[in-house]
């Protein structure tokens, strides 16, 4: 059988932009600020930064390493390591299919808010508007599917013409809009109270649950634990410097998450509103603020276009992980793989989009379907998949033997952490976090 020619990034910069596109998403702009708001502000930020640069950076390097080294999809990577391990690859694919099922619902919310801002629709009360919108049996699934179609359209065009091109346009635009909005909100009256909330930690608020949530968020935001980085890493040239690339990626992802906080909290405090408003922060609190600002509609449009760029560039990487696996494992064309996966995701994402409407009563461990998928993927599947990646790279692959470096001691520490420290941390946190 003829080997399929694998695509490659046109340069390291293209890879970095696309990986930042994958990492920076709803996790940074929608989830991070509201979780930080709920879990005490600055202290959460502190724990989160600590986890990213001590714990999460290592699986990040490991995932990229697997992709670059094997140049395969995540399932074939595990198979190449040991046939019996392929189950772990498929678990990553299950995660890569389940995350879009709630992620694209939020994507739909964003599209709806772009529409409101564009049409200058006057909404008197966003609490009522949002509640009605998410309950709607037609509009809500319509916008979810629209977001899915846009994501699929880009992924269908392939790595260079689709993913790379979309990221090259959207990510710089994203950074510019974020900066403009952050500067704007910093100039609102009482903005400094928002900064204090973000940067003045109260350590009495630390607890196990919060650390697990911070870890789940850190893994989620860096796109670790489902093979997305292995997929993007597999399009790298063999001589790419993955350790350096990983630090650049972690740095930008964190910077942009903090900037998103700087864009949101000063505005929230300036209007005397509640930072712990939960998932509604972006969809009720912020539009309420925009309504009262001069040029509010324009600001609102910029804000939601910003989130849209972040969401779709991450959505692409979520989809690409399973698309590449279907192409290579089932010998499908890209078009067919995209089509099959769109079908599977639609089957789950449509009911998920009805979680706050006609399916509201359907409880799964006390959650509705949307909340269940969010919780199960971020707090169980991502940490579990990450645990396996660390164990496999630490015990089986032994990166110290494969990475050519002058600093062998660095890799001794790296290996020790992957074999013992990170697995213990991940297991402890999963245990305590799930206990409640
Ligand atoms: N990192 C993305 C975000 O912060 O929104 C979400 C995500 C993308 C998670 C890709 C996992 C993934 F593989």
């Amino acid at each position: 059988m003829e080997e399929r020619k694998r695509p490659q990034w046109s340069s390291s910069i293209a890879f970095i932009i696309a990986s930042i596109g994958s990492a920076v998403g709803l996790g940074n702009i929608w989830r991070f600020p509201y979780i930080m708001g709920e879990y005490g502000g600055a202290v959460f930020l502190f724990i989160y930064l600590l986890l990213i640069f001590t714990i999460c950076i290592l699986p990040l390097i490991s995932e990229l390493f697997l992709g670059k080294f094997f140049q395969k999809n995540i399932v074939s990577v595990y198979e190449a390591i040991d046939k019996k391990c392929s189950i772990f690859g498929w678990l990553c694919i299950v995660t890569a299919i389940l995350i879009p099922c709630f992620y694209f619902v939020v994507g739909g919310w964003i599209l709806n808010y772009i529409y409101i801002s564009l049409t200058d629709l006057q909404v008197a009360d966003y609490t009522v508007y949002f509640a009605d919108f998410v309950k709607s049996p037609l509009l809500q699934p319509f916008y979810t599917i629209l977001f899915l179609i846009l994501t699929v359209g880009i992924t269908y065009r392939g790595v260079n013409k689709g993913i790379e091109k979309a990221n090259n346009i959207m990510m710089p635009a994203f950074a510019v809009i974020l900066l403009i909005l952050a500067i704007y909100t910093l100039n609102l009256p009482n903005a400094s109270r928002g900064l204090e909330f973000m940067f003045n930690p109260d350590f009495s608020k630390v607890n196990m649950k919060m650390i697990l949530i911070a870890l789940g968020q850190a893994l989620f935001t860096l796109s670790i634990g489902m093979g997305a980085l292995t997929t993007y890493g597999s399009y790298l040239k063999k001589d790419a410097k993955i350790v350096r690339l990983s630090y650049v990626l972690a740095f930008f992802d964190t910077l942009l998450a903090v900037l998103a906080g700087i864009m949101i909290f000063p505005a929230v405090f300036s209007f005397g509103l509640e930072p712990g408003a939960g998932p509604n922060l972006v969809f009720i609190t912020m539009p309420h603020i925009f309504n009262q600002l001069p040029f509010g509609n324009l600001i609102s449009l910029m804000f939601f276009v910003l989130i849209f760029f972040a969401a779709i560039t991450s959505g692409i990487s979520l989809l690409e992980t399973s698309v590449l696996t279907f192409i290579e494992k089932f010998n499908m064309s890209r078009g067919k793989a995209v089509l099959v996966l769109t079908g599977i995701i639609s089957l789950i994402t449509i009911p998920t989009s009805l979680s706050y409407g006609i399916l509201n009563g359907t409880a799964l461990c006390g959650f509705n379907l949307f909340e269940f998928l969010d919780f199960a993927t971020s707090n169980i599947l991502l940490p579990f998949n990450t645990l396996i990646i660390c164990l496999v790279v630490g015990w089986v692959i032994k990166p110290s033997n494969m990475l050519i470096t002058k600093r062998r001691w660095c890799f001794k520490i790296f290996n020790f952490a992957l074999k013992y420290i990170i697995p213990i941390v991940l297991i402890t946190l999963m245990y305590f976090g799930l206990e409640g």
Side-chain angles (χ1 to χ4, degrees):
M1 192 172 61
E2 201 192 318
E3 272 276 313
R4 204 184 288 271
K5 192 171 171 336
R6 297 193 96 250
Q8 242 177 18
W9 301 113
S10 56
S11 64
S12 284
I13 304 275
F15 162 77
I16 277 289
I17 294 176
S19 313
I20 295 175
S22 165
V24 176
L26 293 175
N28 302 60
I29 317 275
W30 166 67
R31 224 157 161 268
F32 176 72
Y34 90 70
I35 295 185
M36 184 168 151
E38 278 179 356
Y39 286 89
V43 65
F44 181 86
L45 177 63
F46 178 83
I47 302 275
Y48 169 84
L49 290 178
L50 202 70
L51 287 172
I52 288 205
F53 287 99
T54 55
I55 305 278
C56 299
I57 190 76
L58 300 181
L60 171 62
I61 296 173
S62 305
E63 264 210 39
L64 283 182
F65 170 72
L66 288 179
K68 189 193 85 155
F69 188 79
F70 287 99
Q71 308 262 308
K72 288 179 168 48
N73 65 81
I74 185 73
V75 176
S76 304
V77 164
Y78 273 114
E79 267 174 9
I81 294 166
D82 187 328
K83 274 252 172 300
K84 282 185 250 116
C85 285
S86 72
I87 177 82
F88 297 126
W90 286 113
L91 202 58
C92 288
I93 296 304
V94 169
T95 315
I97 290 176
L98 291 182
I99 293 181
C101 297
F102 72 90
Y103 204 85
F104 290 3
V105 174
V106 184
W109 299 349
I110 297 162
L111 286 179
N112 178 257
Y113 274 71
I114 291 183
Y115 173 76
I116 304 179
S117 315
L118 273 176
T119 51
D120 208 0
L121 195 75
Q122 295 304 320
V123 177
D125 184 340
Y126 276 98
T127 314
V128 177
Y129 177 81
F130 187 61
D132 285 346
F133 172 64
V134 294
K135 266 190 223 142
S136 153
L138 287 178
L139 264 190
Q140 167 68 80
F142 166 77
Y143 277 106
T144 305
I145 293 299
L146 188 61
F147 188 86
L148 171 67
I149 292 172
L150 293 174
T151 315
V152 163
I154 297 172
T155 315
Y156 174 75
R157 293 179 61 86
V159 175
N160 302 104
K161 286 202 199 116
I163 302 177
E164 204 174 302
K165 212 166 168 186
N167 275 290
N168 284 350
I169 298 169
M170 291 184 193
M171 287 319 288
F174 168 88
V176 172
I177 302 177
L178 182 59
L179 263 179
I180 296 176
L181 289 181
I183 293 172
Y184 181 86
T185 55
L186 276 177
N187 283 302
L188 292 172
N190 292 324
S192 58
R193 297 215 347 250
L195 294 182
E196 195 175 314
F197 175 75
M198 278 188 75
F199 298 114
N200 192 8
D202 171 2
F203 286 99
S204 65
K205 289 187 177 148
V206 178
N207 58 53
M208 253 332 192
K209 173 104 183 166
M210 174 227 238
I211 302 177
L212 176 88
I213 300 283
L215 178 76
Q217 170 63 16
L219 297 176
F220 185 85
T221 188
L222 289 174
S223 307
I224 299 173
M226 48 154 267
L229 293 171
T230 305
T231 306
Y232 274 15
S234 77
Y235 303 139
L236 272 171
K237 298 205 172 76
K238 281 268 186 188
D239 59 355
K241 305 255 182 294
I242 48 160
V243 176
R244 191 182 309 160
L245 290 176
S246 302
Y247 273 99
V248 172
L249 176 56
F251 171 77
F252 275 104
D253 183 65
T254 312
L255 179 74
L256 294 173
V258 172
L259 265 180
I262 293 180
M263 165 180 75
I264 289 177
F265 289 116
V268 170
F269 279 87
S270 177
F271 282 83
L273 295 171
E274 190 38 58
N280 296 343
L281 186 63
V282 160
F283 295 100
I284 295 177
T285 313
M286 293 308 285
H288 175 72
I289 293 171
F290 298 143
N291 250 359
Q292 303 172 56
L293 292 174
F295 307 109
N297 250 52
L298 178 65
I299 306 282
S300 168
L301 181 62
M302 285 167 78
F303 181 75
F304 285 105
V305 167
L306 168 94
I307 309 184
F308 171 72
F309 285 163
I312 198 152
T313 47
S314 301
I316 298 166
S317 75
L318 287 161
L319 202 59
E320 180 65 12
T321 305
S322 24
V323 166
L324 177 70
T325 304
F326 275 44
I327 292 175
E328 293 186 347
K329 288 304 299 170
F330 303 129
N331 205 17
M332 285 182 179
S333 65
R334 175 168 283 269
K336 197 165 170 198
V338 166
L339 209 69
V340 171
L341 281 157
T342 306
I344 299 174
I345 292 174
S346 303
L347 280 181
I348 313 174
T349 200
I350 293 176
T352 309
S353 73
L354 300 171
S355 294
Y356 294 97
I358 48 179
L359 296 183
N360 198 9
T362 328
L364 289 156
C365 315
F367 297 119
N368 66 29
L369 186 55
F370 177 95
E371 292 159 351
F372 178 78
L373 289 177
D374 186 0
F375 181 84
T377 50
S378 316
N379 297 327
I380 303 171
L381 286 171
L382 291 182
F384 181 77
N385 294 340
T386 308
L387 172 72
I388 301 295
I389 286 168
C390 292
L391 291 174
V392 165
V393 174
W395 287 92
V396 187
I397 307 229
K398 302 197 180 77
S400 51
N401 296 331
M402 287 181 176
L403 294 169
I404 299 132
T405 173
K406 287 176 211 114
R407 284 165 290 173
R408 274 197 82 80
W409 61 268
C410 263
F411 286 101
K412 285 218 170 105
I413 299 177
F414 181 47
N415 233 11
F416 184 79
L418 282 180
K419 281 164 103 172
Y420 304 104
I421 300 178
I422 301 180
I424 292 171
V425 172
L426 286 171
I427 292 169
T428 314
L429 288 177
M430 275 194 282
Y431 176 77
F432 281 107
L434 290 178
E435 257 203 337

